[in-house]
Amino acid sequence: MKRNRLLFLLVLLMTAAGGAWAQTVTYPKYLVIDVATGNHRYTDDGPDLTNDLCRKGELWLRYIPAGTFLMGSATTEPGYNGCENQHWVKLTQPFYIGVFECTQYQWKAIMSQQWSETTNPSTRPSWFNNESYWETRPVERVSYEMIRGGSKGMGWPDNDDVDDDSFMDILRTKTGMKFDLPTEAQWEYACRAGTTTALNSGTDLTKADKDDAMNAVGRYRYNSGYIDYCEDDPAISVWDLSQGTAKVGTYAPNAWNLYDMHGNVLEWCLDWNYSNSFDDSSTEQNPVEDPKGESYDSELGDSRAMRGGDWCSPASGCRSAYRGATQYDAAEAYSGFRIVCLTMPDPEQQHTYSVTMKSGTKDAEHWTISDGTTTKTGTEGLDAMAEGDAVTLKYNGRLKVKSVTATTDANPLTVPLTVEAVTDGTIKVNISNGSGTLSTGMKFSVDGGDKNLITTTTDIPVQAGQKVQFYGNEDKTQVYGGYPFVWIQGFGQGFKCNVYGNIMSLLDEEGYATMTDLPDKSDIFASLFYGNSALVDASGLLLPAKTMKNDCYNSMFYYCNNLTAAPDLPATTLAFDCYNGMFEGCNLLSVAPDLPATTLAESCYEAMFSNCFSLTAPPVLPAKALVNKCYNHMFFECWKITSITCLATSDTSEANNTDGWLMDAGKDAFGPKTFTADPSATWPLDISGIPEGWTRLNPDGTTYNP
């Protein structure tokens, strides 16, 4: 592994219970509610954080699968108290939960449909009501009673009724769907997203009060301008976004793309807060199922549970396991909530899916529907689709919708390499001369303005929504990796950015749109985004070359630890080290890009996904012959993967080509773990490097019996 460098297609995989070839439904990732109309749609594409529609006019919810997890915290965790003892919990039903906390705009939009500010001032209750910033901040100073009601709404866990004209009643009536607050178990399961650490970033706290690990994931006492505030102080109410609560979605999400689970505002849960501690007699094999909390007991008080900590909490009060509580009718400047939806899509009904086209996707056959043995294709009704259009699909237990592709007349290859700011911050172009000197040739422009020549390390201040385009001339600029080398990073507290466009603009600022070949140099784009912790989404980055050169993409996204979406990798001819360490350390990346190449090269995929702790969907490996070090450490410490498909049948060298490739793979994943291989594989028959406890399968799904 090299560590010395510093440097559309909407895919819907769905099945339904009772089907001919599957017994479960795989639901869309996101449910989106139009606040004004109550209409809903489903999509597999996450919210566009550059557009505040997702924080205002639309309620975005993320699908959370059923599962088992270890709830609570270890006694050694800083801030642990006796009511957090660890115990196993099983949630038997999936649900959708808010990507963000409910914002002030959304609260007002829902409540104003029934009440005016004159008849019910609680339509605009929040303390942090600066007129320039209030809409996208979380709503606070809302009580459990205001959300569900103080009469019927107090019936949980005996029933899930809510009061007429409460927030939940208005939302349920408008949408016809089952919305509510989460239970404590649902909240912590969603917050953790598979982690067992104090924070859902995979990080433990070292201090209970001020801990810098919190700065990446949430607004808390030491990054909120906190003072011993008094709600009678009028100055506090007009604080801008640098003080008090933050705009939702400002900090890094967890592996399920949920924001602000740590800090910002405490979030109401359904449970009464009675238990001094959980029942810790449960085991992983015999977990507590769907806990709802205890029934009301007047002698034990009227407090409901609250989770996640808030803008004035210390680090220990923002942990995944932290349990808070407040009187059900209390409405403080730190109390907010996020919603859950328990209504799952009916497989026999029509549902609308938004199609967000990935740049460069063109396909004459828009539909591919397969039942496992036959395939049907067609263009019915889709020829006129444009980017962003919605398509209505019906899925059932016998046919599986594999893909829908919208076409466009625009040529995405004409878009230069672009880094777009999601929040305010600084894009830094780092240049190190190493043993040589940097030739001129690299340029940048902001929002399509004048091109500026880069000859030394350069800071480019940007505001949210601004786009920085990059250009170059390969005959003048030596290489972007190696020596001299260039890499693009982001800086600033909470700064986030996305990258898209044609990477070839770095090689020819005029003719990049038609370039399909890389120059005959090694390291050409190696380490280009090395260590860019601000980078979130690279799915729109175009890498059009089909033939690789040595080390061309080596370590390109090395330890981009907030990257959640990777670019397509269309290359079919590989080269030495071409993808070595490309996504190593991208610990929020859950879905790997496809790897279509069937002929391998030495060390081509070495350490490619090493330390991708959140990876759950690894690529199929179609190559039939292994070569020297081709898969070494490829999935090293990918803790959540549960299946690998490798179709190699022979080994063309005597080298250890799979050294450590699955070491510690799947160790934090629940359920069976399977390795699918060709039954004729001879490299050797036991498939070197499969972790203990994995089951080997044949491609048809049958168990391998040599």
Side-chain angles (χ1 to χ4, degrees):
M1 291 177 287
K2 294 198 172 182
R3 301 175 184 272
N4 61 342
R5 287 191 176 89
L6 290 178
L7 276 146
F8 105 119
L9 188 60
L10 171 68
V11 179
L12 304 171
L13 299 176
M14 309 166 206
T15 59
W21 58 300
Q23 297 301 316
T24 59
V25 175
T26 301
Y27 293 106
K29 287 183 180 179
Y30 295 95
L31 163 65
V32 186
I33 306 295
D34 185 307
V35 172
T37 66
N39 295 334
H40 71 275
R41 60 186 171 89
Y42 296 99
T43 178
D44 280 348
D45 298 307
D48 176 7
L49 297 187
T50 66
N51 186 341
D52 280 337
L53 178 65
C54 64
R55 300 175 175 93
K56 295 165 63 176
E58 293 180 340
L59 288 164
W60 279 74
L61 295 92
R62 175 63 156 85
Y63 170 72
I64 307 297
T68 301
F69 76 112
L70 187 60
M71 188 172 178
S73 65
T75 57
T76 55
E77 189 169 283
Y80 169 84
N81 63 57
C83 67
E84 298 171 6
N85 51 303
Q86 290 182 313
H87 61 295
W88 287 95
V89 170
K90 181 178 182 180
L91 299 179
T92 62
Q93 299 299 317
F95 57 97
Y96 284 89
I97 191 168
V99 171
F100 311 109
E101 295 154 329
C102 181
T103 65
Q104 295 184 41
Y105 180 99
Q106 292 163 345
W107 174 273
K108 184 176 187 294
I110 295 294
M111 295 299 285
S112 296
Q113 292 170 22
Q114 185 68 31
W115 306 99
S116 68
E117 289 188 58
T118 301
T119 57
N120 186 351
S122 67
T123 59
R124 184 86 184 273
S126 296
W127 186 253
F128 294 106
N129 55 19
N130 184 320
E131 284 300 324
S132 299
Y133 305 109
W134 69 276
E135 293 180 328
T136 58
R137 288 175 125 158
V139 67
E140 20 81 17
R141 292 212 303 187
V142 289
S143 66
Y144 182 101
E145 183 178 34
M146 293 164 68
I147 299 166
R148 300 188 86 248
S151 180
K152 291 188 293 183
M154 299 299 293
W156 182 271
D158 299 325
N159 60 68
D160 55 14
D161 294 341
V162 295
D163 282 20
D164 295 345
D165 298 331
S166 65
F167 178 91
M168 285 301 173
D169 176 66
I170 297 171
L171 187 58
R172 289 180 181 185
T173 301
K174 192 169 191 66
T175 62
M177 304 175 81
K178 184 65 170 295
F179 286 97
D180 216 326
L181 295 172
T183 65
E184 277 199 88
Q186 287 172 329
W187 188 96
E188 186 171 331
Y189 178 61
C191 173
R192 289 191 176 281
T195 61
T196 57
T197 47
L199 303 180
N200 59 28
S201 58
T203 304
D204 279 312
L205 297 178
T206 57
K207 305 179 186 69
D209 191 30
K210 181 180 180 182
D211 195 304
D212 289 343
M214 270 296 301
N215 289 330
V217 295
R219 181 63 62 89
Y220 83 124
R221 177 175 296 189
Y222 293 100
N223 61 17
S224 67
Y226 170 79
I227 60 173
D228 290 327
Y229 78 97
C230 169
E231 290 194 4
D232 295 328
D233 181 355
I236 294 175
S237 69
V238 296
W239 275 355
D240 64 21
L241 293 175
S242 67
Q243 297 175 291
T245 57
K247 177 179 182 176
V248 298
T250 296
Y251 295 89
N254 68 6
W256 281 333
N257 212 34
L258 304 179
Y259 293 84
D260 303 305
M261 300 297 283
H262 300 298
N264 221 18
V265 290
L266 274 162
E267 299 179 18
W268 287 105
C269 292
L270 286 171
D271 309 48
W272 291 106
N273 188 63
Y274 290 160
S275 299
N276 290 325
S277 62
F278 293 118
D279 179 3
D280 56 8
S281 63
S282 63
T283 64
E284 186 174 4
Q285 292 71 37
N286 187 29
V288 177
E289 290 194 4
D290 301 317
K292 296 182 177 181
E294 300 176 57
S295 295
Y296 178 67
D297 187 331
S298 59
E299 295 184 2
L300 295 177
D302 296 320
S303 292
R304 294 281 186 175
M306 303 190 81
R307 288 302 204 108
D310 59 81
W311 63 274
C312 50
S313 294
S316 61
C318 300
R319 295 171 296 117
S320 298
Y322 173 75
R323 302 180 72 200
T326 301
Q327 182 85 2
Y328 73 89
D329 57 356
E332 307 290 351
Y334 50 73
S335 56
F337 70 104
R338 75 180 69 218
I339 58 175
V340 297
C341 181
L342 305 177
T343 304
M344 293 292 109
D346 183 346
E348 293 301 324
Q349 299 299 314
Q350 299 274 349
H351 295 285
T352 299
Y353 289 78
S354 67
V355 178
T356 301
M357 218 182 65
K358 184 174 290 187
S359 297
T361 300
K362 289 188 176 181
D363 189 344
E365 296 176 334
H366 304 295
W367 293 81
T368 303
I369 303 177
S370 172
D371 62 3
T373 57
T374 61
T375 299
K376 301 177 182 179
T377 60
T379 59
E380 298 175 355
L382 294 177
D383 285 325
M385 284 186 64
E387 181 175 356
D389 282 356
V391 59
T392 300
L393 309 177
K394 183 175 181 180
Y395 59 97
N396 55 52
R398 282 185 285 273
L399 294 182
K400 197 178 197 181
V401 177
K402 290 286 289 184
S403 63
V404 176
T405 304
T407 61
T408 177
D409 292 332
N411 181 5
L413 293 173
T414 62
V415 178
L417 177 67
T418 302
V419 178
E420 181 173 354
V422 176
T423 60
D424 297 352
T426 299
I427 296 170
K428 180 185 285 289
V429 181
N430 290 279
I431 295 175
S432 176
N433 290 332
S435 59
T437 58
L438 182 73
S439 301
T440 60
M442 188 174 183
K443 302 175 184 178
F444 77 91
S445 66
V446 178
D447 289 336
D450 294 339
K451 295 178 182 177
N452 303 277
L453 188 64
I454 300 172
T455 58
T456 185
T457 295
T458 302
D459 288 349
I460 308 171
V462 288
Q463 296 179 334
Q466 283 193 308
K467 304 172 180 64
V468 180
Q469 296 86 23
F470 290 97
Y471 305 88
N473 290 289
E474 187 270 328
D475 59 333
K476 295 180 181 179
T477 304
Q478 293 183 17
V479 287
Y480 291 95
Y483 287 103
F485 55 78
V486 176
W487 71 102
I488 301 171
Q489 295 182 306
F491 289 90
Q493 182 176 335
F495 180 48
K496 298 174 186 174
C497 61
N498 299 325
V499 62
Y500 61 88
N502 189 346
I503 199 170
M504 294 298 197
S505 69
L506 289 178
L507 302 181
D508 184 344
E509 65 177 292
E510 300 297 336
Y512 63 87
T514 60
M515 289 185 67
T516 57
D517 296 322
L518 295 175
D520 194 15
K521 294 179 178 180
S522 62
D523 301 284
I524 187 65
F525 295 124
S527 302
L528 186 60
F529 301 103
Y530 186 107
N532 189 338
S533 60
L535 184 56
V536 176
D537 188 342
S539 61
L541 178 64
L542 301 182
L543 310 174
K546 294 294 184 71
T547 299
M548 299 290 91
K549 302 296 182 181
N550 291 354
D551 292 287
C552 55
Y553 300 140
N554 191 314
S555 302
M556 177 181 266
F557 298 101
Y558 183 85
Y559 277 86
C560 291
N561 51 23
N562 285 308
L563 185 72
T564 60
D568 285 344
L569 304 178
T572 54
T573 302
L574 305 186
F576 172 78
D577 268 0
C578 58
Y579 292 129
N580 190 321
M582 186 175 187
F583 300 104
E584 182 171 357
C586 294
N587 55 34
L588 292 185
L589 185 66
S590 60
V591 179
D594 291 339
L595 301 177
T598 56
T599 301
L600 305 181
E602 181 176 348
S603 302
C604 55
Y605 296 135
E606 185 170 2
M608 186 177 188
F609 302 103
S610 177
N611 297 112
C612 288
F613 304 136
S614 301
L615 188 68
T616 57
V620 172
L621 306 176
K624 293 296 185 181
L626 304 185
V627 300
N628 191 22
K629 299 181 181 179
C630 56
Y631 295 148
N632 278 12
H633 294 91
M634 186 175 186
F635 302 109
F636 176 74
E637 293 196 341
C638 291
W639 295 342
K640 294 185 179 179
I641 61 176
T642 58
S643 64
I644 290 286
T645 297
C646 179
L647 302 180
T649 58
S650 64
D651 188 345
T652 61
S653 74
E654 296 180 359
N656 192 350
N657 304 317
T658 57
D659 180 33
W661 74 317
L662 293 177
M663 186 178 295
D664 289 333
K667 75 172 188 177
D668 279 0
F670 296 109
K673 302 172 182 66
T674 58
F675 185 98
T676 301
D678 191 296
S680 64
T682 59
W683 51 282
L685 282 176
D686 63 350
I687 310 296
S688 173
I690 301 178
E692 183 178 353
W694 285 51
T695 301
R696 179 176 168 181
L697 302 177
N698 298 317
D700 63 1
T702 59
T703 301
Y704 173 73
N705 291 303

